[in-house]
Amino acid sequence: MFLSFFEEKEHLRLQSFPLIPRGDPSLLLINSGMAPMKPWFTGEQEPPRKRVCTCQKCIRTNDIDNVGKTSRHGSYFEMLGNFSFGDYFKHDAIVWCWEFLTERVGLDPALLYPSVFHEDDQAFDIWANVVGIAPERISRLGRDDNFWDHGSGPCGPCSEVYFDRGEENGCGSPDCVPGCDCDRFVEIWNNVFTQFDNDGSGNYSELSQKNIDTGMGLERLACVCQGVGSMFEVDTVVSIIDKVSEISGVKYKQAAGSDVSIRVITDHIRAATMMICDGVLPSNEGRGYVLRRLLRRAARHGRLLGVTGVFLSDLCATVIEENKTAYPDLIDKAGFIARIIRIEEENFGKTVDAGMSILNGLIAEYGKRGETILAGTDAFKLYDTYGFPIDLTVEVLAENTMALDEEAFNGCMEQQRARARKAREALGDLAWAGIELGLDNTPTEFTGYEKEEDTGVVLAIVTHGETGSSISAGDEGIIVLDKTPFYAEMGGQSADIGVLACGEAVFIVTGVQLSKGDKYLHYGKMRTGTLSLYDPIDAKIDAGRRKAIKRAHSATHMLHEALRTVLGEHVRQAGSLVEPDKLRFDFTHFSALTRDELRDIEHQVNEAILDGADVSVCEMPVEEAKKLGATALFGEKYGDSVRVVQMGASIELCGGTHLDNTAKAGAFSIIAEFSVAFGVRRIEALTGLATLDALSSARNHLSILAGMLKVGAPEELVGKVEQNMQVLRNLRTQLDAAISKDADNEARQILTGAKDIGGLKVITTIVEDVNVDIEKLRQIEDTLRDWESGVVAVLAAVKGDKVTIMAACGKEAVTKGVKAGDLVRETSKLCGGSGGGKPDFAMGGGKDPGKLREALNAVDGYVREALGV
Ligand code: ATP
Ligand code: MG
């Protein structure tokens, strides 16, 4: 009925999207009709039509604890929705919502109550004045209820419709109104007016297109239509309830406690069936864990009802039966779904059985000692190590007239949470936000000081934004090993790149980052094959690149030492970057380095290289290192034992990779020196092959220049260039004299055409010479002004469609109030341009040569006006 209604309103009906989101790492499972449509809302992708309607499968993990307790929450439900992408907005959405509920479904308007976001006067107005709801029946609710915002993506204010299930279902409180959490007023439909985009960090921007996103629980609507008390009693769900009663032999609506269990099982088996059908499998993380938790809770509630043995796999047949028309793939996958559920249930059964025997052992021991309170640590071990549910422990203890030291147990739980938190913090946020690698705190073993190739084992895989058990060809991701020869980006030194391989499976490492817990995160992409957890790995770095990095890093130490000898002991390292054969070193110093200083520094580094000193690396207590005179970074904290790198006179604390002999740095050259902050200078330099490449490219340029300047050898270049510059200088002088002479002649010529206006000599001339150069024009103006104190000369030249206008006014003219600046401004404007300047000289121009004559003709008028004649 819903989908047809909106089809009549020109909506395109789409199938439900699968429960697993596509390309949305911010979401574990689809939780609303709009969730799979985010790119259509943000405008990132084009929707198939501007109006769409769906009935969408949804999982809401954060409602799990409510399930069975309220009448209106399922972890699984279907959501009806109509959507507008930049098409209709609040007015139509509200009017159609009301039309559907009252006219199509036929609900009693007296039982329906709309709500709006308290600041949304527009929506209030539509409900009150267009739909005609009495204002006192419309509630204005706050941000919590009526502002729809889920992680990143489209969001906005909303307007809900509540159904009044009668006082008998209410909490009885005098302020029980729509929005109250009790079961009297049930929210059935929510109309979201998506106006904003949340970037995921709470920054909101207006969407260019305003959208409509509505959601109505199918079960909740059915519940109201069928006049039943809860979403579990609507026709398609109640048959599952009946089946649970049949299997357990416990009648529904006999006792509140067992009713909760029956409802939990009913909901969870629906959710699990639909999830498995969409491709989710039980596991210890992410979606898989949600599924595992649902199945275990269902199994657990089965035991509470007295069911022994597996039963959930039988129940899923009823779920499939009720849903197969809408979701025909349930039929194809029926056998598979039942098998997965059975395996999971059996495993859980084993856990429970193993836990039971340990617990029974404990109970016997305690009994012998005459104790009746189970220690928190014992209960915690059962829970943590064996996965035995704590409520089961409590129950079994009660049957044996024992109890649990709950306070101590909670203490253990809190400690474990703190440990987990610490481990999470330790892993840092270098991995994709929000992803826990699920590893302990052991650092990755780094073997790259000695090795360029090593073996390791895959401990964690992150791909598609979450941890997983494998990564396949084409996927980008992060791999964590137990040990690695890859250097992680650290202390200014760039990370290694290379490959991780296991047989045919090859992962290309493009970067390595260290998490706070010293896990090496290998970033990259799977080239071929598939890698899985615990696969043995051959890890191999790009050895040539590492060699070049070593050259640059050892040279950095030698540079540091040279700076201190040449400039003084005040030089302190302020930052550094070490790349293959390229380095950047920032240090404290207060003036620019002179050419001599730079040459001395470069020379000293090259000498240190040529000394061919052995580089020694050793670990020692920090105090001992200081006694040796090792240079430590100011303000840096070091552990008890430090790594000391010594080469020649340089002794530094450093974790980087180094040459074993300084000579291997090859050659060192400084390419730049400049200031990066007050009192901080930066040197950029090259080593090894990069220096040689720079040299050969410089030599190449010199020989090209020598060819162009026709000298035999590059040494002759300086002499030749000096010679050529002298020739150019002479030519310029001659040229200037010629121009000036030429200008004099022209000025004389121009002056003969001057008009007398009020005693001034007014000239308006277009200098026709096609090659006229601005400099010449200026010279003519200068000459005219020098010769004639009463001159007002407006000269123009045209080149292509570009007009240049200059004006000069002699002293007398200026005194009489004629200003060159004004003349140029006005004439330029007439030529479609602009200009201005001082009273005695100004310059401008335009783009319309056709108007030039007219513009110049206007000059006389301006002069007359200025003179008042
Ligand atoms: P409530 O406050 O009752 O939990 P909600 O504000 O979370 O509802 P929305 O997020 O606006 O609900 O979802 C739109 C519609 O989906 C609701 O009006 C309701 O009909 C339905 N719905 C939401 N959560 C559930 C659920 N857990 N089980 C069944 N239906 C639900
Ligand atoms: Mg909710």
Side-chain angles (χ1 to χ4, degrees):
M1 206 191 274
F2 178 91
L3 295 171
S4 313
F5 177 82
F6 281 98
E7 274 180 327
E8 286 160 29
K9 313 274 184 208
E10 283 148 49
H11 287 63
L12 176 67
R13 180 201 291 224
L14 294 178
Q15 291 294 313
S16 171
F17 291 79
L19 284 166
I20 301 181
R22 297 268 149 86
D24 183 357
S26 73
L27 198 62
L28 209 53
L29 290 153
I30 294 300
N31 62 0
S32 59
M34 70 77 68
M37 303 185 190
K38 279 186 191 172
W40 297 345
F41 278 104
T42 54
E44 250 166 78
Q45 278 173 22
E46 192 69 23
R49 196 187 289 177
K50 284 188 168 202
R51 298 177 182 192
V52 159
C53 58
T54 56
C55 175
Q56 174 67 48
K57 299 178 260 190
C58 296
I59 297 278
R60 289 211 172 166
T61 48
N62 50 354
D63 281 342
I64 285 181
D65 291 333
N66 271 332
V67 172
K69 295 183 189 141
T70 72
S71 65
R72 62 184 206 279
H73 288 102
S75 63
Y76 171 82
F77 64 98
E78 291 174 84
M79 193 187 283
L80 300 165
N82 53 295
F83 307 93
S84 151
F85 310 105
D87 194 38
Y88 63 87
F89 201 45
K90 291 181 196 181
H91 178 276
D92 288 354
I94 291 175
V95 168
W96 288 340
C97 165
W98 190 254
E99 184 189 335
F100 177 75
L101 290 177
T102 57
E103 288 173 30
R104 192 61 63 97
V105 180
L107 296 182
D108 179 358
L111 298 178
L112 297 174
Y113 292 83
S115 76
V116 296
F117 180 50
H118 62 90
E119 289 166 11
D120 194 351
D121 294 334
Q122 209 187 356
F124 189 93
D125 181 65
I126 298 168
W127 280 115
N129 299 323
V130 182
V131 178
I133 310 281
E136 66 277 9
R137 289 171 58 92
I138 309 171
S139 7
R140 288 180 183 261
L141 300 180
R143 210 181 165 81
D144 285 350
D145 286 303
N146 276 10
F147 196 91
W148 208 89
D149 196 358
H150 278 272
S152 64
C155 57
C158 47
S159 172
E160 304 157 321
V161 177
Y162 285 85
F163 180 83
D164 183 359
R165 296 183 53 232
E167 243 171 283
E168 65 278 16
N169 287 303
C171 54
S173 148
D175 38 46
C176 177
V177 288
C180 179
D181 273 336
C182 76
D183 271 344
R184 173 170 177 184
F185 295 100
V186 197
E187 175 198 327
I188 53 175
W189 200 346
N190 194 359
N191 282 260
V192 186
F193 311 126
T194 13
Q195 294 174 256
F196 307 107
D197 185 41
N198 182 348
D199 70 357
S201 323
N203 301 314
Y204 298 89
S205 54
E206 277 274 345
L207 287 170
S208 53
Q209 54 168 36
K210 305 266 183 288
N211 309 304
I212 288 296
D213 148 29
T214 85
M216 170 156 58
L218 176 61
E219 294 85 346
R220 287 199 195 174
L221 179 63
C223 182
V224 166
C225 293
Q226 297 174 3
V228 290
S230 91
M231 64 173 278
F232 299 95
E233 286 153 43
V234 305
D235 51 5
T236 53
V237 187
V238 79
S239 53
I240 307 169
I241 293 254
D242 292 344
K243 186 77 184 168
V244 178
S245 295
E246 185 195 313
I247 293 174
S248 62
V250 179
K251 282 221 179 75
Y252 189 53
K253 291 204 167 154
Q254 292 253 296
S258 54
D259 280 356
V260 170
S261 290
I262 294 173
R263 285 194 291 258
V264 167
I265 297 169
T266 301
D267 169 76
H268 289 9
I269 191 66
R270 288 180 88 209
T273 305
M274 301 312 273
M275 283 170 81
I276 298 171
C277 182
D278 277 356
V280 182
L281 291 176
S283 80
N284 273 338
E285 64 217 356
R287 292 185 262 282
Y289 186 64
V290 172
L291 174 60
R292 175 160 285 169
R293 194 165 152 224
L294 288 167
L295 285 171
R296 291 192 163 184
R297 278 187 105 220
R300 164 85 194 104
H301 280 277
R303 282 173 192 252
L304 287 180
L305 291 177
V307 182
T308 50
V310 295
F311 72 106
L312 293 171
S313 43
D314 298 334
L315 260 185
C316 74
T318 314
V319 178
I320 294 171
E321 191 54 36
E322 288 294 351
N323 290 280
K324 64 182 184 194
T325 330
Y327 306 105
D329 49 341
L330 282 169
I331 306 169
D332 302 336
K333 296 186 184 161
F336 174 72
I337 296 171
R339 198 165 72 239
I340 298 291
I341 294 178
R342 173 174 282 269
I343 293 171
E344 188 63 16
E345 210 183 353
E346 280 171 355
N347 283 341
F348 181 64
K350 282 182 213 145
T351 304
V352 171
D353 293 344
M356 271 313 263
S357 79
I358 294 171
L359 184 55
N360 284 332
L362 285 169
I363 291 170
E365 270 178 43
Y366 276 66
K368 264 186 232 151
R369 297 201 298 266
E371 290 173 19
T372 56
I373 306 292
L374 185 73
T377 45
D378 283 335
F380 181 74
K381 191 165 179 204
L382 256 177
Y383 163 81
D384 192 44
T385 315
Y386 301 98
F388 196 75
I390 189 65
D391 48 356
L392 197 53
T393 304
V394 172
E395 199 179 281
V396 175
L397 287 176
E399 285 165 11
N400 290 277
T401 53
M402 280 182 67
L404 166 71
D405 183 349
E406 278 194 46
E407 204 172 306
F409 174 80
N410 289 337
C412 295
M413 285 291 282
E414 189 40 54
Q415 271 173 21
Q416 190 217 28
R417 266 184 227 118
R419 270 198 306 277
R421 213 178 305 127
K422 244 176 98 185
R424 235 180 356 254
E425 282 166 11
L427 283 166
D429 42 16
L430 280 172
W432 284 308
I435 296 171
E436 294 162 30
L437 295 173
L439 298 176
D440 63 17
N441 229 344
T442 325
T444 306
E445 187 188 341
F446 175 64
T447 59
Y449 288 132
E450 309 86 34
K451 298 180 181 172
E452 286 166 351
E453 194 175 347
D454 201 359
T455 55
V457 169
V458 178
L459 292 187
I461 295 176
V462 178
T463 186
H464 296 304
E466 45 180 88
T467 50
S469 51
S470 67
I471 178 167
S472 319
D475 286 344
E476 295 190 355
I478 300 174
I479 290 183
V480 179
L481 304 176
D482 60 338
K483 66 177 164 54
T484 181
F486 281 77
Y487 191 84
E489 185 181 313
M490 181 173 22
Q493 181 175 326
S494 312
D496 285 317
I497 62 171
V499 291
L500 305 181
C502 173
E504 298 286 273
V506 175
F507 181 83
I508 306 293
V509 180
T510 52
V512 186
Q513 296 278 340
L514 197 63
S515 74
K516 283 181 207 151
D518 289 338
K519 289 270 187 291
Y520 282 55
L521 310 174
H522 301 82
Y523 285 75
K525 189 172 180 175
M526 215 47 213
R527 188 162 66 188
T528 50
T530 299
L531 274 183
S532 302
L533 281 178
Y534 308 115
D535 276 351
I537 290 293
D538 275 322
K540 194 171 170 184
I541 66 165
D542 178 335
R545 187 170 177 280
R546 162 72 82 79
K547 228 186 242 172
I549 289 175
K550 284 179 176 180
R551 289 196 288 266
H553 204 159
S554 294
T556 304
H557 287 207
M558 293 183 256
L559 169 63
H560 192 184
E561 182 61 23
L563 285 168
R564 290 165 66 99
T565 354
V566 176
L567 302 178
E569 291 291 310
H570 64 278
V571 168
R572 288 260 176 285
Q573 173 168 352
S576 86
L577 180 70
V578 177
E579 289 175 349
D581 268 336
K582 196 171 169 203
L583 62 100
R584 198 172 83 187
F585 190 77
D586 295 347
F587 57 98
T588 50
H589 186 61
F590 285 90
S591 54
L593 272 59
T594 64
R595 202 185 303 184
D596 285 348
E597 284 169 339
L598 284 172
R599 203 195 41 226
D600 285 354
I601 291 162
E602 195 176 88
H603 186 79
Q604 191 179 315
V605 173
N606 278 314
E607 253 177 354
I609 291 172
L610 295 174
D611 271 347
D614 279 343
V615 178
S616 78
V617 178
C618 50
E619 300 252 340
M620 60 180 77
V622 86
E623 288 313 316
E624 204 171 306
K626 279 186 186 156
K627 257 183 247 155
L628 262 180
T631 317
L633 285 193
F634 184 71
E636 190 94 350
K637 284 207 182 66
Y638 294 96
D640 296 338
S641 171
V642 292
R643 192 167 179 268
V644 177
V645 178
Q646 193 166 357
M647 60 188 88
S650 152
I651 308 175
E652 288 198 37
L653 302 190
C654 177
T657 58
H658 284 276
L659 301 168
D660 53 10
N661 187 291
T662 58
K664 292 189 179 173
F668 173 83
S669 60
I670 294 176
I671 51 173
E673 188 276 336
F674 52 95
S675 157
V676 279
F678 180 69
V680 181
R681 313 283 313 172
R682 170 172 297 172
I683 281 184
E684 290 177 352
L686 305 175
T687 55
L689 290 174
T691 291
L692 300 181
D693 287 348
L695 277 179
S696 93
S697 127
R699 203 170 46 210
N700 194 26
H701 281 121
L702 284 179
S703 89
I704 292 172
L705 272 181
M708 287 168 74
L709 293 170
K710 300 201 166 47
V711 296
E715 297 81 74
E716 295 162 32
L717 271 173
V718 175
K720 181 71 177 181
V721 168
E722 252 163 18
Q723 222 177 41
N724 282 354
M725 279 163 65
Q726 189 55 47
V727 170
L728 277 178
R729 272 195 293 272
N730 292 344
L731 285 175
R732 185 74 231 182
T733 319
Q734 284 168 29
L735 184 63
D736 285 350
I739 289 175
S740 150
K741 197 166 151 216
D742 197 31
D744 275 6
N745 288 338
E746 201 134 338
R748 199 162 296 126
Q749 183 70 34
I750 286 169
L751 199 55
T752 58
K755 224 183 288 173
D756 188 308
I757 298 178
L760 298 182
K761 294 202 153 136
V762 179
I763 299 165
T764 51
T765 302
I766 300 174
V767 182
E768 297 288 357
D769 179 354
V770 280
N771 277 321
V772 74
D773 125 4
I774 301 291
E775 202 40 48
K776 179 168 160 191
L777 217 53
R778 192 195 302 269
Q779 285 223 11
I780 298 174
E781 290 281 31
D782 283 352
T783 313
L784 287 172
R785 207 176 33 187
D786 285 350
W787 287 349
E788 273 293 337
S789 162
V791 81
V792 175
V794 182
L795 303 183
V798 180
K799 234 180 208 178
D801 56 2
K802 194 176 156 235
V803 179
T804 305
I805 298 175
M806 274 188 204
C809 293
K811 230 181 222 137
E812 185 192 338
V814 174
T815 322
K816 286 188 171 166
V818 183
K819 295 197 181 85
D822 292 349
L823 289 169
V824 165
R825 193 164 42 248
E826 296 305 330
T827 45
S828 299
K829 206 188 284 167
L830 289 173
C831 295
S834 62
K838 291 200 254 98
D840 62 342
F841 180 78
M843 221 174 119
K847 292 171 287 220
D848 196 348
K851 297 268 173 65
L852 179 57
R853 182 55 67 188
E854 190 188 322
L856 291 181
N857 288 344
V859 169
D860 291 1
Y862 291 127
V863 176
R864 285 210 174 85
E865 205 174 304
L867 295 177
V869 299

